[in-house]
Amino acid sequence: MSRTRKRLSDEVVARLLNATESAVPRETDAVQHWALLVLSGRRQGRVYPLPRAGSVRIGRGADNWICFDADDERSISQHHAEIAIDTESVVVEDLQSTNGTCVNDKKLTAAVKLREGDSLRLGQVPMALMLVSQHA
């Protein structure tokens, strides 16, 4: 693992820990869900929880699950990417966006299965996929 990737992973983990509750209940009380963390830009540090199942569209259009406006980021298309979530996997697909979608610095040409900690870049907006524990 490169030093850059290691540093990024440590930074991502630190931000997510700060975004969760400070009390640490027993591990059996935790409910886990997927989330996207914005790594830089105007929304840096913002965590977007993803639903347990279904699909999530990201873009500048008001009808997206995660909606950026033109003032936030012009590099994101109206309907930029879609993330499908089920009990087994999280899959991202570029929706023929103008500036592309990358996973771990590789531009998507087809749908890709994501893993915890993968970096996701929509246009110029870097994000990371994380598994977050939420305590009941």
Side-chain angles (χ1 to χ4, degrees):
M1 181 180 293
S2 73
R3 288 183 186 202
T4 303
R5 177 78 188 254
K6 177 68 174 144
R7 249 193 335 262
L8 179 64
S9 297
D10 291 345
E11 181 181 340
V12 168
V13 170
R15 286 186 186 162
L16 282 173
L17 288 175
N18 288 334
T20 59
E21 297 176 5
S22 59
V24 181
R26 294 183 322 236
E27 190 66 29
T28 56
D29 294 340
V31 176
Q32 294 186 323
H33 64 88
W34 293 106
L36 290 175
L37 171 67
V38 179
L39 300 175
S40 68
R42 292 181 69 185
R43 295 187 184 201
Q44 180 177 358
R46 182 135 185 214
V47 177
Y48 292 97
L50 300 176
R52 293 193 178 282
S55 63
V56 170
R57 194 171 56 215
I58 305 169
R60 287 189 289 120
D63 57 340
N64 292 299
W65 178 276
I66 299 174
C67 183
F68 289 83
D69 59 37
D71 292 335
D72 283 332
E73 191 51 66
R74 293 182 187 271
S75 68
I76 294 181
S77 295
Q78 289 291 320
H79 297 122
H80 197 101
E82 187 164 17
I83 297 176
I85 305 111
D86 65 27
T87 57
E88 301 287 321
S89 63
V90 178
V91 176
V92 64
E93 180 177 12
D94 184 76
L95 299 176
Q96 299 178 345
S97 65
T98 302
N99 294 308
T101 302
C102 296
V103 173
N104 299 326
D105 296 321
K106 294 180 183 170
K107 191 167 184 175
L108 295 185
T109 56
V112 171
K113 185 174 179 178
L114 299 173
R115 296 177 307 179
E116 182 178 6
D118 278 349
S119 67
L120 179 66
R121 191 175 74 241
L122 281 65
Q124 298 301 314
V125 178
M127 301 179 180
L129 179 72
M130 301 305 297
L131 194 55
V132 179
S133 293
Q134 203 171 32
H135 303 285

CSV table of all heavy atoms in Angstrom, one decimal, residues 19-52:
chain,number,residue,atom,x,y,z
A,19,ALA,N,-17.3,11.6,13.4
A,19,ALA,CA,-18.7,11.8,13.0
A,19,ALA,C,-19.7,10.8,13.7
A,19,ALA,O,-20.9,11.0,13.7
A,19,ALA,CB,-18.8,11.5,11.5
A,20,THR,N,-19.1,9.8,14.4
A,20,THR,CA,-20.0,8.9,15.1
A,20,THR,C,-20.1,9.3,16.6
A,20,THR,O,-19.3,10.2,17.1
A,20,THR,CB,-19.5,7.5,15.0
A,20,THR,OG1,-18.1,7.4,15.5
A,20,THR,CG2,-19.5,7.0,13.5
A,21,GLU,N,-20.9,8.6,17.3
A,21,GLU,CA,-21.1,8.9,18.8
A,21,GLU,C,-19.8,8.7,19.5
A,21,GLU,O,-19.0,7.8,19.2
A,21,GLU,CB,-22.2,8.0,19.3
A,21,GLU,CG,-23.5,8.2,18.8
A,21,GLU,CD,-24.5,7.3,19.3
A,21,GLU,OE1,-24.2,6.5,20.2
A,21,GLU,OE2,-25.6,7.3,18.8
A,22,SER,N,-19.5,9.4,20.6
A,22,SER,CA,-18.3,9.3,21.3
A,22,SER,C,-18.4,8.1,22.3
A,22,SER,O,-17.3,7.5,22.6
A,22,SER,CB,-18.0,10.6,22.1
A,22,SER,OG,-19.1,10.8,23.0
A,23,ALA,N,-19.5,7.8,22.7
A,23,ALA,CA,-19.7,6.6,23.6
A,23,ALA,C,-19.5,5.3,22.8
A,23,ALA,O,-20.0,5.3,21.6
A,23,ALA,CB,-21.0,6.6,24.3
A,24,VAL,N,-18.9,4.3,23.3
A,24,VAL,CA,-18.7,3.1,22.6
A,24,VAL,C,-19.4,1.9,23.3
A,24,VAL,O,-18.9,1.3,24.2
A,24,VAL,CB,-17.2,2.7,22.4
A,24,VAL,CG1,-16.9,1.5,21.7
A,24,VAL,CG2,-16.4,3.9,21.8
A,25,PRO,N,-20.6,1.6,22.8
A,25,PRO,CA,-21.4,0.5,23.4
A,25,PRO,C,-20.7,-0.8,23.0
A,25,PRO,O,-19.8,-0.9,22.2
A,25,PRO,CB,-22.8,0.6,22.8
A,25,PRO,CG,-22.8,1.9,22.1
A,25,PRO,CD,-21.4,2.3,21.9
A,26,ARG,N,-21.3,-1.9,23.6
A,26,ARG,CA,-20.8,-3.2,23.2
A,26,ARG,C,-20.9,-3.4,21.7
A,26,ARG,O,-21.8,-2.9,21.1
A,26,ARG,CB,-21.7,-4.3,23.9
A,26,ARG,CG,-21.5,-4.3,25.4
A,26,ARG,CD,-22.3,-5.4,26.0
A,26,ARG,NE,-23.6,-5.6,25.2
A,26,ARG,CZ,-24.8,-5.5,25.8
A,26,ARG,NH1,-24.9,-5.4,27.1
A,26,ARG,NH2,-25.9,-5.7,25.1
A,27,GLU,N,-20.0,-4.2,21.1
A,27,GLU,CA,-20.0,-4.5,19.7
A,27,GLU,C,-21.3,-5.1,19.2
A,27,GLU,O,-21.7,-4.8,18.1
A,27,GLU,CB,-18.8,-5.4,19.4
A,27,GLU,CG,-18.5,-5.5,17.9
A,27,GLU,CD,-18.0,-4.2,17.3
A,27,GLU,OE1,-17.4,-3.4,17.9
A,27,GLU,OE2,-18.3,-4.1,16.1
A,28,THR,N,-21.9,-5.9,20.0
A,28,THR,CA,-23.2,-6.5,19.6
A,28,THR,C,-24.3,-5.5,19.4
A,28,THR,O,-25.3,-5.8,18.8
A,28,THR,CB,-23.6,-7.6,20.6
A,28,THR,OG1,-23.7,-7.0,21.9
A,28,THR,CG2,-22.6,-8.7,20.6
A,29,ASP,N,-24.2,-4.3,20.0
A,29,ASP,CA,-25.2,-3.3,19.9
A,29,ASP,C,-25.1,-2.5,18.6
A,29,ASP,O,-26.0,-1.7,18.3
A,29,ASP,CB,-25.2,-2.3,21.1
A,29,ASP,CG,-25.5,-3.0,22.4
A,29,ASP,OD1,-26.2,-4.0,22.3
A,29,ASP,OD2,-25.1,-2.4,23.4
A,30,ALA,N,-24.0,-2.7,17.9
A,30,ALA,CA,-23.8,-1.9,16.7
A,30,ALA,C,-24.6,-2.4,15.5
A,30,ALA,O,-24.7,-3.6,15.2
A,30,ALA,CB,-22.3,-1.9,16.3
A,31,VAL,N,-25.1,-1.4,14.7
A,31,VAL,CA,-25.7,-1.7,13.4
A,31,VAL,C,-24.8,-1.0,12.4
A,31,VAL,O,-24.5,0.2,12.5
A,31,VAL,CB,-27.1,-1.1,13.4
A,31,VAL,CG1,-27.8,-1.3,12.0
A,31,VAL,CG2,-28.0,-1.7,14.5
A,32,GLN,N,-24.4,-1.8,11.4
A,32,GLN,CA,-23.5,-1.2,10.4
A,32,GLN,C,-24.2,-0.9,9.1
A,32,GLN,O,-25.2,-1.5,8.7
A,32,GLN,CB,-22.4,-2.2,10.0
A,32,GLN,CG,-21.5,-2.5,11.2
A,32,GLN,CD,-20.3,-3.3,10.9
A,32,GLN,OE1,-20.4,-4.3,10.1
A,32,GLN,NE2,-19.2,-3.0,11.4
A,33,HIS,N,-23.8,0.2,8.5
A,33,HIS,CA,-24.3,0.7,7.2
A,33,HIS,C,-23.2,1.3,6.4
A,33,HIS,O,-22.2,1.8,6.9
A,33,HIS,CB,-25.5,1.6,7.4
A,33,HIS,CG,-25.2,2.9,8.0
A,33,HIS,ND1,-24.8,4.0,7.3
A,33,HIS,CD2,-25.2,3.3,9.3
A,33,HIS,CE1,-24.5,5.0,8.1
A,33,HIS,NE2,-24.7,4.6,9.4
A,34,TRP,N,-23.4,1.4,5.1
A,34,TRP,CA,-22.4,2.0,4.2
A,34,TRP,C,-22.7,3.5,4.2
A,34,TRP,O,-23.8,4.0,4.3
A,34,TRP,CB,-22.6,1.5,2.8
A,34,TRP,CG,-22.2,0.1,2.7
A,34,TRP,CD1,-23.0,-1.0,2.5
A,34,TRP,CD2,-20.9,-0.5,2.7
A,34,TRP,NE1,-22.3,-2.2,2.4
A,34,TRP,CE2,-21.0,-1.9,2.5
A,34,TRP,CE3,-19.6,0.1,2.8
A,34,TRP,CZ2,-19.9,-2.7,2.5
A,34,TRP,CZ3,-18.5,-0.7,2.8
A,34,TRP,CH2,-18.6,-2.1,2.6
A,35,ALA,N,-21.6,4.3,4.0
A,35,ALA,CA,-21.6,5.7,3.9
A,35,ALA,C,-20.5,6.2,2.9
A,35,ALA,O,-19.5,5.5,2.8
A,35,ALA,CB,-21.5,6.4,5.2
A,36,LEU,N,-20.8,7.4,2.3
A,36,LEU,CA,-19.8,8.1,1.5
A,36,LEU,C,-19.3,9.3,2.3
A,36,LEU,O,-20.1,10.0,2.9
A,36,LEU,CB,-20.3,8.5,0.2
A,36,LEU,CG,-20.7,7.5,-0.8
A,36,LEU,CD1,-21.4,8.1,-2.0
A,36,LEU,CD2,-19.5,6.7,-1.2
A,37,LEU,N,-18.0,9.4,2.4
A,37,LEU,CA,-17.3,10.6,3.0
A,37,LEU,C,-16.7,11.4,2.0
A,37,LEU,O,-15.9,11.0,1.2
A,37,LEU,CB,-16.3,10.1,4.0
A,37,LEU,CG,-15.4,11.1,4.7
A,37,LEU,CD1,-16.2,12.0,5.6
A,37,LEU,CD2,-14.3,10.5,5.4
A,38,VAL,N,-17.0,12.7,1.9
A,38,VAL,CA,-16.4,13.7,1.0
A,38,VAL,C,-15.0,14.1,1.6
A,38,VAL,O,-14.9,14.5,2.7
A,38,VAL,CB,-17.3,14.9,0.8
A,38,VAL,CG1,-16.6,15.9,-0.2
A,38,VAL,CG2,-18.6,14.5,0.3
A,39,LEU,N,-14.0,13.9,0.8
A,39,LEU,CA,-12.6,14.1,1.3
A,39,LEU,C,-12.1,15.5,1.1
A,39,LEU,O,-11.1,15.9,1.8
A,39,LEU,CB,-11.7,13.1,0.6
A,39,LEU,CG,-12.0,11.6,0.8
A,39,LEU,CD1,-11.1,10.7,0.0
A,39,LEU,CD2,-11.9,11.3,2.3
A,40,SER,N,-12.6,16.3,0.2
A,40,SER,CA,-12.1,17.7,0.0
A,40,SER,C,-13.2,18.5,-0.7
A,40,SER,O,-14.1,17.9,-1.2
A,40,SER,CB,-10.8,17.7,-0.7
A,40,SER,OG,-10.9,17.3,-2.1
A,41,GLY,N,-12.9,19.8,-0.8
A,41,GLY,CA,-13.9,20.7,-1.4
A,41,GLY,C,-14.8,21.3,-0.4
A,41,GLY,O,-14.6,21.3,0.8
A,42,ARG,N,-15.8,22.0,-0.9
A,42,ARG,CA,-16.7,22.7,0.0
A,42,ARG,C,-17.5,21.8,1.0
A,42,ARG,O,-17.9,22.3,2.0
A,42,ARG,CB,-17.8,23.5,-0.9
A,42,ARG,CG,-17.1,24.6,-1.6
A,42,ARG,CD,-18.1,25.4,-2.4
A,42,ARG,NE,-18.9,26.2,-1.5
A,42,ARG,CZ,-20.0,26.9,-1.9
A,42,ARG,NH1,-20.3,26.9,-3.2
A,42,ARG,NH2,-20.7,27.5,-1.0
A,43,ARG,N,-17.7,20.6,0.6
A,43,ARG,CA,-18.4,19.6,1.5
A,43,ARG,C,-17.4,18.7,2.2
A,43,ARG,O,-17.8,17.6,2.7
A,43,ARG,CB,-19.4,18.9,0.7
A,43,ARG,CG,-20.5,19.7,0.2
A,43,ARG,CD,-21.6,18.9,-0.4
A,43,ARG,NE,-22.6,19.8,-1.0
A,43,ARG,CZ,-23.8,19.4,-1.3
A,43,ARG,NH1,-24.2,18.2,-1.0
A,43,ARG,NH2,-24.7,20.3,-1.8
A,44,GLN,N,-16.2,19.0,2.3
A,44,GLN,CA,-15.2,18.2,3.0
A,44,GLN,C,-15.6,17.7,4.4
A,44,GLN,O,-16.1,18.6,5.1
A,44,GLN,CB,-13.8,18.9,3.1
A,44,GLN,CG,-12.8,18.1,3.7
A,44,GLN,CD,-11.4,18.8,3.7
A,44,GLN,OE1,-11.3,19.9,3.2
A,44,GLN,NE2,-10.4,18.1,4.3
A,45,GLY,N,-15.5,16.5,4.6
A,45,GLY,CA,-15.9,15.9,5.9
A,45,GLY,C,-17.3,15.5,6.0
A,45,GLY,O,-17.7,14.9,7.0
A,46,ARG,N,-18.1,15.8,5.1
A,46,ARG,CA,-19.6,15.5,5.1
A,46,ARG,C,-19.7,14.0,4.9
A,46,ARG,O,-19.1,13.4,4.0
A,46,ARG,CB,-20.3,16.3,4.1
A,46,ARG,CG,-21.8,16.0,4.1
A,46,ARG,CD,-22.6,17.2,4.0
A,46,ARG,NE,-24.0,16.9,4.2
A,46,ARG,CZ,-25.0,17.5,3.6
A,46,ARG,NH1,-24.7,18.5,2.8
A,46,ARG,NH2,-26.2,17.2,3.8
A,47,VAL,N,-20.5,13.3,5.7
A,47,VAL,CA,-20.8,11.9,5.6
A,47,VAL,C,-22.2,11.7,5.0
A,47,VAL,O,-23.2,12.3,5.6
A,47,VAL,CB,-20.6,11.2,6.9
A,47,VAL,CG1,-21.0,9.7,6.8
A,47,VAL,CG2,-19.2,11.4,7.4
A,48,TYR,N,-22.4,10.9,4.0
A,48,TYR,CA,-23.7,10.6,3.4
A,48,TYR,C,-24.0,9.2,3.6
A,48,TYR,O,-23.5,8.3,3.0
A,48,TYR,CB,-23.7,10.9,1.9
A,48,TYR,CG,-23.6,12.3,1.5
A,48,TYR,CD1,-22.3,12.9,1.2
A,48,TYR,CD2,-24.7,13.2,1.5
A,48,TYR,CE1,-22.2,14.2,0.8
A,48,TYR,CE2,-24.6,14.5,1.1
A,48,TYR,CZ,-23.3,15.0,0.8
A,48,TYR,OH,-23.2,16.4,0.5
A,49,PRO,N,-24.9,8.9,4.6
A,49,PRO,CA,-25.3,7.5,4.8
A,49,PRO,C,-26.0,7.0,3.6
A,49,PRO,O,-26.8,7.7,3.0
A,49,PRO,CB,-26.2,7.6,6.1
A,49,PRO,CG,-26.0,8.9,6.7
A,49,PRO,CD,-25.5,9.8,5.6
A,50,LEU,N,-25.8,5.7,3.3
A,50,LEU,CA,-26.5,5.1,2.2
A,50,LEU,C,-27.5,4.1,2.7
A,50,LEU,O,-27.4,3.6,3.8
A,50,LEU,CB,-25.5,4.3,1.3
A,50,LEU,CG,-24.3,5.1,0.7
A,50,LEU,CD1,-23.4,4.2,0.0
A,50,LEU,CD2,-24.9,6.2,-0.2
A,51,PRO,N,-28.6,3.9,2.0
A,51,PRO,CA,-29.6,3.0,2.5
A,51,PRO,C,-29.1,1.6,2.5
A,51,PRO,O,-28.1,1.2,1.9
A,51,PRO,CB,-30.8,3.1,1.5
A,51,PRO,CG,-30.1,3.6,0.2
A,51,PRO,CD,-28.9,4.4,0.7
A,52,ARG,N,-29.8,0.7,3.3
A,52,ARG,CA,-29.4,-0.7,3.4
A,52,ARG,C,-29.5,-1.4,2.1
A,52,ARG,O,-28.8,-2.4,1.8
A,52,ARG,CB,-30.2,-1.4,4.5
A,52,ARG,CG,-29.9,-0.9,5.8
A,52,ARG,CD,-30.5,-1.8,6.9
A,52,ARG,NE,-30.2,-1.4,8.2
A,52,ARG,CZ,-29.0,-1.5,8.8
A,52,ARG,NH1,-28.0,-2.1,8.2
A,52,ARG,NH2,-28.8,-1.1,10.0
